[in-house]
């Protein structure tokens, strides 16, 4: 009777969670059962925070073991004695571990700063404690009654039996309490913090059909285009808001939060859940619901650098960045609200087709004085196309990198060409600033040009262009083999086409660009390239690989002022300066520009040189070039 | 109340000009079709008046064929209510003819105010609004930066940029022609919805023929600016330092015309007089 009621409550709760996820955007999702099983079995993602991860592992597997054991026991299945003893021992030890884990969590919560705590978790932990304790006490009093004495079958139970009263009534009360506790656990699951179990399972199970760094695609004739109200988000995005456990890992790694800006990815998810619970009924009654702006401010939306740190570190595989982008799209496309500084960038892109507003006719200025062929000047198709990007073509500092890259390719005897005056901005800036229409316009024009030349292989040295060309152009019909310049240089070195012979005697460190590292998982090629250059020694920063701090230039932030909080690039520059190296290597124009700015403002006396890995390779292979000429 | 905003579509050539095909030659992509930025500000100024004036209707007036479709839509999306396109038989017009045609078209729609940009980015004449006020017999304020209208829609207070930081405030009787200067009024970014509506605005085309009237002023020739010195070559590190310095200096070297004379001042004066006489600069008896 109880069980049926509880099951009914559980199912109602889960279906209520489903109703809350009322959405208008359809999104293609596929199920990934293998991934879910791997995730649960290994707990790898959760274990990234070792202490909490291990404890979660214990509690999760503990609950699962008990549930799996109790069902056959209740069904009256009889095991052989040895197996039964084994099971008893395992359950005993698991119970003890669970007790320790729950106690640790509880003590941790009591000791922690009250302001930072997420409310509503303590009484659930207490419920878990009651379940475990009553379990042990009932077992203990049973052992006491039958005078079992100590045995290895149930060592913990024996310990409890010492101080348990010799009373069948007490045992019965404990058993009842234990049973009620378990029932309460299941009944509360969809209505409390434990909703992360059903919602999280579903969130991890359902996979999006998007490339790694790709933003969710939208239809431009929809109204509104972005997310105005809660149900303008897609089901997967809402699922994320339900699955969020407020573990604050996103906030530990978010550059905006670290630099004391108002954005906290976790807060966005909480705000969404709050809206969801309030607005879903309004939707079903076809009543107007409040806009999302009431819970999420513009400062939060525009502080995001789209560095993917929140997405990478989220143990629930939630993508808050995608939601922030949906909110930005609403601001720009539906409301016409663009930060003042970004307007010029968007206008430049609209009129001139590049972020610097210089225009197509100046696109090839960087190659004046050196021989770099453009595709349209060649009689036959080149082997590879070198995508220069706006920064390579126009930025006075970064065009040096473009020239170095061209010289390296020339040295290696690669038949290459640049798009020249046919190139437009890849559209990353426009898309990350929320101007989806402009992005599609630029991207389609680029794809048309590339296709008309029959281009297959493209080498890109800007990670943002790389990500756009590789992950976002296929959706618009541009399918190319896009190679990041770092990997291409490694291949050239491996093929002995260029030889890094000249030593660069320096200790260096690497700043991982977000769009190579976290988004496209390209970490090792950077390190390998550094190893190939003689004389260089690499010292990793404290924040590196997945935890690397963004330079603050991604997501259109390159063109926005940083008026709130600290400056991200200065934070990072201080970290690099404190590491005591003389050279910083990076592989992204934005990182280079932001870090040069930051370094200039934090270090006056010590000089840290900032070079792109392409420049370092060019320096080291300079001899080969000289030999040829 | 009606406001007519005259909008000019321009071809902005922002690239360098010159003869050397590789670096200076103009290609098709170098021409940007856009709306004159002053006219965009004029449109924005008119749109902002909608807040305070009830029943304000904004007509966008364009002269000649539509050449900048996207940008025109964007400008109309700022808040125009309908479009009047004027077609003529003339291809090249001077400001006098243009203003004559505009005046004839505007007489039909009888606007309370006519907004124009102060000047256009391509020709920078700045004459059309003034001529227009002459043709229509209306008052004219140039380089307006702010405008407000009284309750009865009969008087306007116009702020004008008088240059050198001077702000002038005028009291004007409507109807009125104003030309708008760039100011803190920045055109807002139109939303997708506004752009969609701008594509289906009422679009009226009228034809006005001047029957072969000839321009009073016509351009005789046009001289593009001298090409800028070519940017310096990339310094090749493998060269000797002396050659690298030469490389560095090479783009900056400007060929000077004339001769540098040196020597005793008396002698120099004689030589200078001889030179001037020789070249007929000086006519001495």
């Amino acid at each position: 009777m109880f069980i049926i009621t509880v099951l009914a409550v559980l199912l109602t709760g889960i279906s209520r969670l489903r109703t809350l996820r009322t959405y208008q955007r359809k999104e293609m999702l596929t199920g990934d059962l293998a991934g879910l099983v791997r995730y649960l079995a290994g707990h790898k993602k959760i274990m990234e925070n070792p202490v909490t991860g291990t404890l979660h592992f214990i509690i999760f597997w503990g609950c699962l073991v008990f549930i799996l054991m109790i069902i056959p026991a209740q069904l009256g299945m009889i095991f052989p004695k040895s197996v039964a003893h084994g099971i008893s021992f395992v359950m005993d030890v698991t119970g003890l571990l669970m007790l320790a884990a729950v106690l640790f969590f509880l003590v941790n919560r009591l000791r922690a700063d009250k302001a930072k705590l997420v409310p509503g978790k303590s009484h659930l932990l207490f419920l878990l404690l009651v379940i475990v304790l009553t379990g042990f006490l009932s077992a203990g009093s049973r052992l006491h009654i039958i005078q079992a004495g100590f045995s290895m079958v149930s060592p913990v139970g024996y310990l409890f039996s010492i101080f348990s009263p010799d009373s069948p009534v007490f045992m019965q009360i404990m058993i009842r309490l234990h049973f009620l506790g378990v029932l309460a656990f299941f009944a509360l699951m969809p209505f409390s913090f434990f909703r992360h179990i059903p919602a999280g399972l579903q969130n991890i199970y359902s996979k999006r059909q998007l490339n790694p760094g790709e933003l969710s695609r939208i239809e431009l004739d929809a109204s509104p285009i972005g997310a105005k109200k809660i149900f303008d988000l897609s089901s997967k995005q809402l699922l994320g808001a339900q699955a969020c456990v407020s573990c604050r890992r996103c906030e530990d790694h978010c550059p905006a939060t670290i630099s004391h800006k108002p954005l906290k990815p976790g807060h966005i998810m909480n705000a969404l859940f709050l809206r969801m619970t309030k607005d879903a009924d309004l939707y079903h009654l076809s009543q107007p619901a409040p806009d999302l702006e009431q819970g999420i401010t513009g400062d939060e939306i525009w502080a995001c650098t789209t560095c993917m740190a929140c997405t990478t570190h989220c143990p629930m595989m939630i993508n808050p960045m995608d939601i922030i982008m949906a909110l930005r799209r609403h601001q720009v496309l539906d409301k016409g609200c663009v930060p003042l500084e970004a307007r010029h960038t968007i206008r430049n892109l609209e009129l001139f087709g590049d972020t610097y507003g210089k225009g197509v006719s100046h696109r090839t200025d960087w190659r004046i004085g050196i021989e770099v062929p453009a595709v349209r000047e060649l009689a036959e198709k080149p082997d590879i196309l070198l995508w220069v990007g706006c920064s390579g073509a126009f930025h006075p500092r970064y065009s040096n990198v473009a020239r170095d890259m061209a010289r390296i390719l020339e040295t290696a005897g690669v038949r290459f060409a640049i798009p020249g005056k046919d190139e437009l901005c890849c559209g990353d800036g426009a898309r990350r600033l929320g101007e989806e229409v402009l992005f599609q316009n630029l991207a389609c024009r680029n794809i048309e040009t590339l296709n008309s030349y029959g281009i297959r292989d493209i080498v890109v040295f800007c990670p943002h262009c790389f990500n756009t060309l590789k992950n976002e152009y296929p959706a618009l019909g541009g399918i190319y083999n896009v190679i990041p310049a770092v990997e291409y240089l490694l291949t050239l070195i491996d093929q002995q086409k260029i030889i890094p012979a000249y030593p660069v005697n320096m200790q260096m460190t690497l700043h991982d660009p977000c769009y190579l590292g976290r988004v496209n998982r390209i970490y090792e090629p950077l390190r390998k390239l550094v190893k190939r250059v003689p004389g260089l020694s690499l010292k990793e920063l404290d924040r590196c690989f997945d935890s690397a701090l963004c330079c603050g230039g991604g997501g259109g932030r390159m063109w926005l002022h940083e008026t709130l909080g600290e400056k991200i690039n200065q934070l990072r520059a201080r970290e690099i300066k404190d590491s005591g190296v003389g050279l910083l290597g990076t592989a992204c124009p934005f990182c280079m520009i932001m870090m040069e700015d930051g370094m200039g403002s934090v270090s006056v006396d010590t000089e840290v040189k900032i070079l792109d890995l392409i420049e370092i390779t060019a320096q080291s292979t300079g001899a080969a070039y000289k030999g040829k000429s | 109340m009606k406001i007519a905003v005259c909008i000019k579509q321009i071809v902005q050539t922002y690239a360098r000009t010159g003869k050397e095909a590789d670096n200076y030659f103009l290609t098709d992509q170098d021409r940007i079709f856009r709306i004159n930025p002053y006219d965009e500000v004029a449109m924005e100024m008119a749109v902002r008046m909608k807040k305070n004036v009830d029943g304000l209707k904004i007509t966008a007036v364009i002269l000649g064929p539509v050449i900048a479709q996207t940008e025109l839509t964007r400008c109309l999306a700022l808040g125009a209510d309908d479009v009047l396109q004027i077609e003529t038989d003339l291809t090249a017009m001077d400001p006098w003819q243009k203003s004559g045609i505009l005046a004839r078209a505007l007489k039909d729609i009888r606007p309370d105010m006519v907004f124009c940009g102060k000047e256009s980015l391509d020709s920078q004449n700045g004459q059309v609004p003034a001529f227009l006020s002459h043709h229509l017999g209306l008052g004219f304020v140039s380089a307006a930066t702010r405008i407000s209208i009284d309750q009865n829609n009969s008087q306007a207070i116009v702020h004008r940029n008088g240059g050198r930081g001077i702000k002038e405030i005028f009291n004007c009787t409507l109807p009125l022609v104003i030309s708008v200067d760039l100011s803190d009024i920045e055109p807002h970014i139109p939303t997708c919805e506004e752009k969609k509506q701008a594509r289906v605005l009422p679009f009226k085309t009228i034809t006005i023929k001047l029957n072969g009237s000839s321009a009073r002023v016509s351009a005789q020739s046009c001289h593009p600016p001298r090409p800028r010195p070519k940017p310096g070559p990339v310094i090749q590190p493998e060269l000797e330092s002396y050659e690298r310095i030469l490389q560095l200096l090479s783009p900056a070297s400007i060929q000077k015309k004339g001769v540098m004379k040196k020597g005793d001042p008396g002698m120099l004066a004689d030589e200078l007089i001889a030179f001037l006489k020789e070249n007929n600069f000086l006519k001495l008896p």
Side-chain angles (χ1 to χ4, degrees):
Chain A
M1 184 60 201
F2 272 127
I3 296 177
I4 291 169
T5 323
V6 164
L7 274 181
V9 172
L10 179 65
L11 289 177
T12 331
I14 289 178
S15 84
R16 163 81 182 152
L17 282 183
R18 239 189 127 70
T19 332
L20 288 183
R21 291 198 299 272
T22 308
Y23 56 92
Q24 288 175 321
R25 297 275 147 80
K26 287 235 157 41
E27 196 176 2
M28 288 296 287
L29 296 173
T30 47
D32 181 17
L33 195 60
L36 178 63
V37 171
R38 257 202 314 277
Y39 173 88
L40 288 178
H43 261 59
K44 194 177 156 205
K45 198 82 203 172
I46 305 172
M47 292 278 207
E48 273 171 22
N49 185 342
V51 181
T52 335
T54 319
L55 296 178
H56 185 276
F57 183 83
I58 291 169
I59 295 186
F60 171 77
W61 276 107
C63 289
L64 204 66
V65 163
F66 274 103
I67 292 167
L68 287 179
M69 291 302 134
I70 278 167
I71 291 170
Q74 290 296 318
L75 292 176
M77 278 172 76
I78 296 160
F79 293 104
K81 204 169 183 184
S82 58
V83 177
H85 281 170
I87 288 173
S88 170
F89 177 73
V90 167
M91 283 172 78
D92 224 49
V93 174
T94 321
L96 184 66
L97 287 173
M98 273 177 80
L99 185 64
V102 172
L103 278 174
F104 181 88
F105 271 133
L106 263 177
V107 170
N108 216 11
R109 271 187 85 77
L110 291 178
R111 274 175 46 206
D113 184 5
K114 280 263 155 41
K116 281 183 183 171
L117 283 179
V118 187
K121 273 185 186 175
S122 299
H123 62 266
L124 295 169
L125 279 171
F126 191 71
L127 175 68
L128 279 182
L129 185 70
V130 167
I131 294 175
V132 178
L133 271 182
T134 47
F136 271 126
L137 282 173
S138 61
S141 60
R142 185 181 64 89
L143 290 176
H144 199 153
I145 292 164
I146 58 171
Q147 296 290 336
F150 179 78
S151 80
M152 273 313 284
V153 173
S154 177
V156 191
Y158 172 72
L159 284 179
F160 273 86
S161 78
I162 295 171
F163 53 84
S164 300
D166 177 14
S167 145
V169 182
F170 178 78
M171 187 181 84
Q172 284 303 322
I173 290 173
M174 283 300 124
I175 289 176
R176 295 285 186 279
L177 269 178
H178 184 71
F179 184 60
L180 275 176
V182 173
L183 288 184
F185 173 78
F186 278 105
L188 276 175
M189 192 190 270
F191 303 102
S192 62
F193 168 73
F194 287 133
R195 74 175 162 269
H196 78 267
I197 301 170
L201 288 178
Q202 197 181 343
N203 188 44
I204 294 156
Y205 171 72
S206 45
K207 279 249 150 63
R208 291 182 140 163
Q209 291 175 327
L210 290 177
N211 290 324
E214 194 181 0
L215 295 184
S216 55
R217 300 162 199 165
I218 48 166
E219 284 151 24
L220 292 182
D221 29 312
S223 174
I225 297 178
K228 187 183 184 199
K229 297 183 192 296
I230 184 79
F231 23 79
D232 293 328
L233 293 167
S234 79
S235 63
K236 172 84 177 170
Q237 286 166 337
L238 294 176
L239 199 53
Q242 287 183 345
C244 176
V245 290
S246 308
C247 66
R248 305 279 189 249
R249 275 190 217 177
C250 44
E251 289 166 18
D252 293 343
H253 293 96
C254 174
T257 317
I258 292 172
S259 63
H260 307 298
K261 293 190 178 51
L263 171 66
K264 288 186 176 116
H267 170 252
I268 292 212
M269 306 315 290
N270 294 349
L272 282 183
F273 186 71
L274 202 69
R275 277 264 75 81
M276 195 189 290
T277 43
K278 285 185 178 165
D279 296 352
D281 297 328
L282 292 177
Y283 178 75
H284 285 290
L285 298 169
S286 340
Q287 278 175 359
D291 291 354
L292 280 176
E293 280 163 38
Q294 295 191 6
I296 301 164
T297 60
D299 282 343
E300 286 179 69
I301 299 171
W302 290 105
C304 177
T305 63
T306 67
C307 70
M308 293 271 280
C310 50
T311 310
T312 313
H313 290 280
C314 181
M316 276 294 177
M317 315 228 180
I318 305 167
N319 191 344
M321 186 196 89
D322 201 52
I323 295 166
I324 295 173
M325 283 300 116
L327 294 167
R328 266 192 198 180
R329 282 171 181 164
H330 170 62
Q331 291 289 322
V332 175
L333 297 175
D334 298 326
K335 286 181 68 193
C337 283
V338 184
L340 214 58
E341 318 91 86
R343 287 186 189 184
H344 297 286
T345 314
I346 290 182
R347 207 69 190 111
N348 285 340
L349 284 168
E350 277 177 348
L351 289 170
F352 302 104
D354 64 74
T355 48
Y356 291 82
K358 296 261 178 104
V360 181
S361 77
H362 293 271
R363 254 213 192 261
T364 50
D365 282 5
W366 64 273
R367 63 168 183 173
I368 290 176
I370 52 170
E371 283 287 312
V372 180
V375 188
R376 60 158 78 177
E377 297 155 6
L378 290 180
E380 50 191 304
K381 218 175 78 179
D383 290 341
I384 65 153
L385 183 83
L386 181 65
W387 186 268
V388 186
C390 300
S391 303
F394 298 117
H395 195 271
R397 170 72 182 84
Y398 207 72
S399 52
N400 287 340
V401 180
R403 281 190 280 268
D404 274 354
M405 185 69 193
R407 269 176 44 182
I408 292 173
L409 292 181
E410 196 190 332
T411 318
V414 180
R415 283 180 54 246
F416 77 103
I418 56 165
K421 291 188 178 182
D422 295 316
E423 186 182 331
L424 291 168
C425 171
C426 62
D428 166 84
R431 192 167 212 200
R432 301 300 187 277
L433 280 170
E435 245 290 14
E436 184 74 11
V437 183
L438 183 56
F439 162 72
Q440 294 201 3
N441 180 3
L442 291 168
C444 290
R445 279 154 72 192
N446 272 331
I447 290 170
E448 202 177 304
T449 334
L450 291 174
N451 287 350
S452 74
Y453 288 120
I455 300 295
R456 282 273 316 121
D457 303 290
I458 307 177
V459 171
V460 190
F461 46 81
C462 168
H464 294 259
C465 298
F466 167 71
N467 179 56
T468 311
L469 260 69
K470 181 168 181 255
N471 296 327
E472 297 186 337
Y473 276 20
L476 298 165
I479 298 160
Y480 313 105
N481 176 25
V482 190
I483 315 156
V486 189
E487 275 185 8
Y488 193 72
L489 287 181
L490 265 183
T491 346
L492 287 182
I493 293 175
D494 287 344
Q495 292 169 351
Q496 305 261 313
K497 285 188 177 168
I498 49 171
I499 299 151
Y502 286 73
V504 182
N505 287 321
M506 274 184 130
Q507 195 188 26
M508 73 171 293
T509 187
L510 272 176
H511 169 76
D512 280 304
C514 310
Y515 274 74
L516 277 189
R518 270 188 292 266
V519 178
N520 289 300
R521 322 295 312 160
I522 297 171
Y523 291 117
E524 281 314 314
L526 275 71
R527 271 106 191 140
K528 276 188 196 158
L529 194 63
V530 169
K531 270 182 207 153
R532 300 294 156 88
V533 176
L536 271 185
S537 65
L538 180 64
K539 182 185 176 191
E540 292 286 1
L541 291 167
D542 288 341
R543 294 193 228 242
C544 57
F545 293 95
D546 271 354
S547 307
L549 187 68
C550 173
C551 67
R557 294 274 341 155
M558 180 77 196
W559 302 286
L560 296 176
H561 295 318
E562 215 170 333
T563 45
L564 297 165
E566 282 176 80
K567 292 200 166 33
I568 301 175
N569 58 344
Q570 294 184 8
L571 271 179
R572 186 63 165 165
R574 233 168 268 138
E575 282 176 15
I576 292 159
K577 193 187 121 195
D578 292 345
S579 72
V581 294
L583 173 65
L584 169 70
T586 184
C588 170
F590 294 168
C591 294
M592 168 166 280
I593 296 162
M594 295 303 280
M595 292 328 299
E596 286 207 329
D597 280 359
M599 205 56 90
S601 30
V602 300
S603 77
V604 183
D605 43 349
T606 48
E607 197 186 328
V608 181
K609 216 169 158 189
I610 301 168
L611 289 177
D612 198 284
L613 288 181
I614 297 169
E615 286 177 305
I616 297 173
T617 320
Q619 275 185 20
S620 178
T621 53
Y625 179 72
K626 198 174 176 183
K628 197 188 160 214
S629 63
Chain B
M1 183 154 180
K2 269 189 215 166
I3 295 182
V5 183
C6 303
I7 290 170
K8 186 180 187 186
Q9 305 162 75
I10 57 167
V11 182
Q12 186 187 357
T13 314
Y14 62 91
R16 287 167 296 197
T17 52
K19 282 178 185 156
E20 196 190 328
D22 196 27
N23 299 322
Y24 293 124
F25 201 67
L26 292 176
T27 59
D28 274 351
Q29 296 111 309
D30 300 336
R31 302 190 306 164
I32 304 288
F33 291 93
R34 65 184 291 189
I35 303 295
N36 181 24
Y38 291 91
D39 297 348
E40 282 179 346
V41 176
M43 177 61 91
E44 175 71 19
M45 202 186 234
V47 171
R48 288 194 187 181
M49 284 172 66
K50 272 189 175 178
K51 266 187 214 162
N52 302 325
V53 184
D54 290 335
L56 178 66
K57 204 171 158 233
I58 299 170
T59 308
V61 185
I62 52 174
L63 183 59
V66 175
I67 51 168
Q69 181 69 57
T70 334
E71 286 296 309
L72 182 64
T73 316
R74 191 182 179 278
C75 182
L76 296 176
L78 292 175
D81 294 303
D82 56 358
V83 192
L84 178 71
Q85 187 195 17
I86 310 164
E87 283 185 351
T88 62
D89 50 342
L90 301 173
T91 45
M93 287 174 281
D94 70 341
W96 181 257
Q97 286 171 309
K98 275 183 198 170
S99 54
I101 296 168
L102 282 172
R104 276 164 68 177
L106 288 173
K107 267 177 191 162
D108 294 341
I109 57 171
R110 306 197 138 273
D112 295 283
M113 284 206 271
V114 181
F115 284 17
C116 304
K118 191 184 84 172
E119 59 186 13
S120 67
L121 213 62
D122 55 349
S123 62
Q124 295 190 350
N125 270 321
Q127 297 174 12
V128 173
F131 288 163
L132 193 58
S133 78
H134 166 81
H135 285 303
L136 293 168
L138 302 178
F140 172 59
V141 179
S142 67
T145 51
R146 188 183 295 177
I147 187 162
S148 55
I149 300 221
D150 71 345
Q151 300 276 316
N152 314 322
N153 290 353
S154 60
Q155 290 278 322
I157 293 167
V158 184
H159 292 222
R160 178 183 180 276
N161 174 12
R164 306 183 307 281
I166 297 171
K167 182 172 80 175
E168 295 173 333
I169 302 174
F170 290 89
N171 226 342
C172 320
T173 321
L174 298 183
L176 178 71
V177 177
I178 64 168
S179 74
V180 177
D181 197 3
L182 300 184
S183 61
D184 53 350
I185 297 182
E186 195 171 329
H188 69 269
I189 295 211
T191 65
C192 275
E193 196 57 40
E194 285 171 336
K195 279 186 195 165
K196 259 183 226 165
Q197 281 167 9
R199 280 186 211 115
V200 291
L201 279 187
F203 198 97
K204 194 178 153 198
T205 306
I206 57 168
T207 310
I208 294 176
K209 287 193 175 162
L210 283 184
N211 294 327
S213 93
S214 58
R216 294 195 176 189
V217 196
S218 58
Q220 194 191 6
S221 62
C222 179
H223 302 275
R226 260 167 43 128
R228 279 195 289 154
K230 195 172 153 182
V234 184
I235 306 302
Q236 290 160 302
E238 62 272 13
L239 292 180
E240 293 299 315
S241 55
Y242 174 68
E243 280 172 83
R244 271 187 291 164
I245 290 169
L246 282 190
Q247 250 190 342
L248 260 177
L249 293 175
S250 59
S253 68
I254 297 163
Q255 280 197 348
K256 285 180 187 146
K257 286 176 184 170
V259 199
M260 181 73 90
K261 297 270 185 193
K262 277 178 189 172
D264 168 50
M267 290 278 286
L268 282 178
D270 286 346
E271 277 182 27
L272 184 62
I273 290 167
F275 174 81
L276 292 175
K277 268 186 193 168
E278 225 172 79
N279 291 289
N280 290 329
F281 288 117
L282 228 102
K283 289 199 177 92
L284 288 176

